[in-house]
Amino acid sequence: MNKIIAKENFSEKVVRFEVEAPLIAKSRKAGHFVIVRIGKKGERVPYTIAAANPQTGTITLVIQRVGRSSEKICQLEVGDYITDMVGPLGKATHIENFGTVVCAGGGVGVAPMLPIIEAMKKAGNRVISVLAARSKELVILEEQVARYSDEVIIMTDDGSYGEKGLITHGVEKVIQREKVDLCVTIGPAIMMKFVAQLTKKYEVPTLASLNTIMVDGTGMCGACRVTVGGKTKFVCIDGPEFDAHQVDFDEMLMRLKAYN
Amino acid sequence: MSEYLQAERAQEWREVQRKSMKNKDRTAIPRVKMPEVNPEVRSHTYDEVNLGLTEALALEESHRCLDCVDPTCITGCPVEINIPKFIKNIERGNYPEAARTLKETSALPAVCGRVCPQERQCESQCFYTLKLKKEPVAIGHLERFAADYERNSGHISIPATAAANGIKIAVVGSGPAGLAFAGDMVKLGYDVTVFEALHELGGVLRYGIPEFRLPNEIVDIEIDGLRKMGVKFETNCIVGKTISQEDLKEEGFSGIFVGSGAGLPNFMNIPGENLIGIMSCNEYLTRVNLMQAADPESDTPVYKGKRVAVIGGGNTAMDAVRTARRLGAEKAMIVYRRSEEEMPARVEEIKHAKEEGIDFFTLHNPIRYEGDERGRVQRMLLQRMQLGEPDQSGRRRPVAIEGDTLWLEVDEVIVSVGVSPNPLIPQTFSGMEVTAWGTIVVNNDTMQTADEMIFAGGDIVRGGATVILAMGDGRKAAKSMHAHLTHPL
């Protein structure tokens, strides 16, 4: 049982929670995720950790209402408890001074990107963050991202904020302008697919953080399997980050619809 | 040990029982048959298939046991249950004492009485099997009877524990290896904490073995017994992730037992295997057993295929195919590359599956899957096989019959071709030696790893075995860790 300490509605669809989880807060690193279950009939759902504070013993999750399970969590209030939470899971992001890193986060994917932006900046990288959303209300965490970024580029589908256009336009502009050593992308699978296509064209090494269907999250079930470089990998223990140019995004998109 | 057995056997009541009936009359009694639910009825419910012996049946069967001078049956039991003692207690009608005898050495008697392959263990070493060439005493059925009788009586005995010695011991994983280890250590007075990664306890007993073979309630009650003996349990805690090896040392744990299991499913790496509707047996059984996905109230979904193929011939394959039947499969099939004779599954499981209308495609091996436009599996290409020379396992090797293939329509496929050790502990622990297959290397006599404070057992060492072998490892590790902590070399 993990107590909810704070709740903030970023938008109608996106909620930020701060949850008591002292052991996870202490041991997690950028890129790690947790598995969360609400209620005795609840399913196990993975969420990437957006932030952690070992002093207060809390972690931050940013959750978008997309289905029954995320809806259940979003209905919880401060003082309520999350029935089960386990983590940190997955492999941590490999952080080093690459040079210039473009962090391309779409929608709620900006939340799990935040600790990577912070870690990349602290490792000495020049960090350019490209944040994309459908419209202005859905742009999240801009201020926190700006704190650790040398530049923030905002893209919206409808042009209501920043520049009008897709995330790939923002990323391409940077690549054409200066040498980029690494791109990290987190967001909807379809978005990551197009970012990967773009950066492959320019031969910019790219990591994508995948969020697939999982059950246990510890390598036990294989529900999360993806094809990377022609080989089957488990997102939970081999990932969640993979070489985006090797990921079979079409298969991943298909498998995400397994229970729709 | 044998002195203890002889002293027990020499007790007056045992002599009285032995003399109460001539051996000739005992051996003339036919072996009891386990009452079962009708196959047609049971293939639509999750209720337990084996009903358990009635008191009358158990009493009759107990008279078959000759209380041998040299009880060879015990040598066949990985946890060395005093088999004649518990059976003779049944014979004299002292069922609670029979249950207490089981608990002298077994942490989970009601579980073992249900899932142990007794035909390959105690019963294979029974005097009836070895010398009389008759059907062995139904030791497993009697074990279950004694454990169930005690549980149903409402007076569950809690084994005595030594005075607390204050020494903290950590157990990684709450499956059969960890529970057996924890039970023995708490009896010796240790302060035992079991860490479990999932939100429920029991490991494979919970997520793997289905309700119709091992009801969850049985697992709950056995774990509750350990809790009453003083074992502490922490769910949602992954040693190596949530807390590190160093954290455990800092918190004063003097010994660690790793029983993290074989939680990594193998796939065959054939074309189309990632199509929707194809999954590992672990995923399928975890959804149904741990997450109760068949319950309409559960948020966890599960496929309810109409034409379901399960690839493999082990006990897990039988569990999966029988589960598929219960979830409404019109055609539930086992696809196995060797013949029935080579199947690793227990004879009882194969028999139950056949009674429930499962189709067996033996000497068939899938080589490709194809799906519809949405990526859902539609059909599988099977390669016909024949048996060749024996391989390293001693079983005849399956060889493809070139060009002899057939397509089979399926809408769900469950891959049950073995598991590999869970990599989390080997990846995150230092000081242990790990094989190329990911199993932890131990001294086979002591279960001690290269790190003298860490012991290991069960599937993380064996790479995929049985509940009772895991429990045997747990007991062995407890004995040697106790020796190590009291008389370090």
Side-chain angles (χ1 to χ4, degrees), chain A residues 41 72 84 87 220-221 258, chain B residues 236 242 274 280 282 295 299 303:
Chain A
K41 304 278 183 184
K72 267 191 179 176
D84 294 290
M220 208 176 79
C221 81
Chain B
N236 292 322
T242 315
N274 289 346
S280 72
N282 268 3
D295 174 352
D299 290 346
Y303 273 104

Side-chain angles (χ1 to χ4, degrees), chain A residues 100 126 128 151 173-181:
Chain A
T100 299
R126 170 172 157 76
I128 302 166
E151 185 185 350
K173 200 176 78 178
V174 180
I175 295 174
Q176 284 175 341
R177 180 183 79 191
E178 62 184 293
K179 182 176 179 295
V180 175
D181 298 287

Side-chain angles (χ1 to χ4, degrees), chain A residues 54-231:
Chain A
Q55 278 75 45
T56 55
T58 56
I59 64 166
T60 301
L61 300 177
V62 176
I63 294 169
Q64 184 167 18
R65 298 170 197 258
V66 286
R68 176 152 50 161
S69 293
S70 52
E71 185 61 43
K72 267 191 179 176
I73 300 179
C74 290
Q75 281 172 6
L76 296 179
E77 297 297 338
V78 172
D80 287 344
Y81 285 85
I82 287 177
T83 317
D84 294 290
M85 180 186 279
V86 65
L89 293 162
K91 288 184 175 164
T93 309
H94 175 69
I95 303 290
E96 65 170 69
N97 190 346
F98 294 95
T100 299
V101 179
V102 168
C103 294
V108 75
V110 174
M113 184 69 92
L114 187 58
I116 298 173
I117 293 170
E118 180 181 342
M120 286 293 183
K121 183 68 203 165
K122 285 181 175 166
N125 290 287
R126 170 172 157 76
V127 176
I128 302 166
S129 297
V130 183
L131 311 185
R134 280 205 309 280
S135 60
K136 185 179 179 185
E137 311 80 66
L138 297 172
V139 175
I140 60 168
L141 296 165
E142 184 191 350
E143 195 187 313
Q144 289 88 334
V145 165
R147 202 175 304 153
Y148 296 104
S149 303
D150 294 273
E151 185 185 350
V152 180
I153 298 168
I154 310 255
M155 306 294 302
T156 51
D157 292 2
D158 62 0
S160 56
Y161 190 48
E163 289 178 54
K164 183 175 161 126
L166 298 174
I167 195 161
T168 41
H169 297 134
V171 174
E172 188 163 28
K173 200 176 78 178
V174 180
I175 295 174
Q176 284 175 341
R177 180 183 79 191
E178 62 184 293
K179 182 176 179 295
V180 175
D181 298 287
L182 180 73
C183 175
V184 184
T185 183
I186 310 181
I190 188 77
M191 182 208 94
M192 293 192 283
K193 175 187 165 176
F194 286 116
V195 169
Q197 273 176 7
L198 173 82
T199 58
K200 193 171 185 183
K201 190 172 82 181
Y202 289 99
E203 293 175 356
V204 175
T206 300
L207 288 175
S209 177
L210 310 185
N211 192 343
T212 52
I213 295 172
M214 291 186 188
V215 184
D216 64 287
T218 62
M220 208 176 79
C221 81
C224 64
R225 62 196 194 276
V226 289
T227 301
V228 182
K231 291 203 172 73

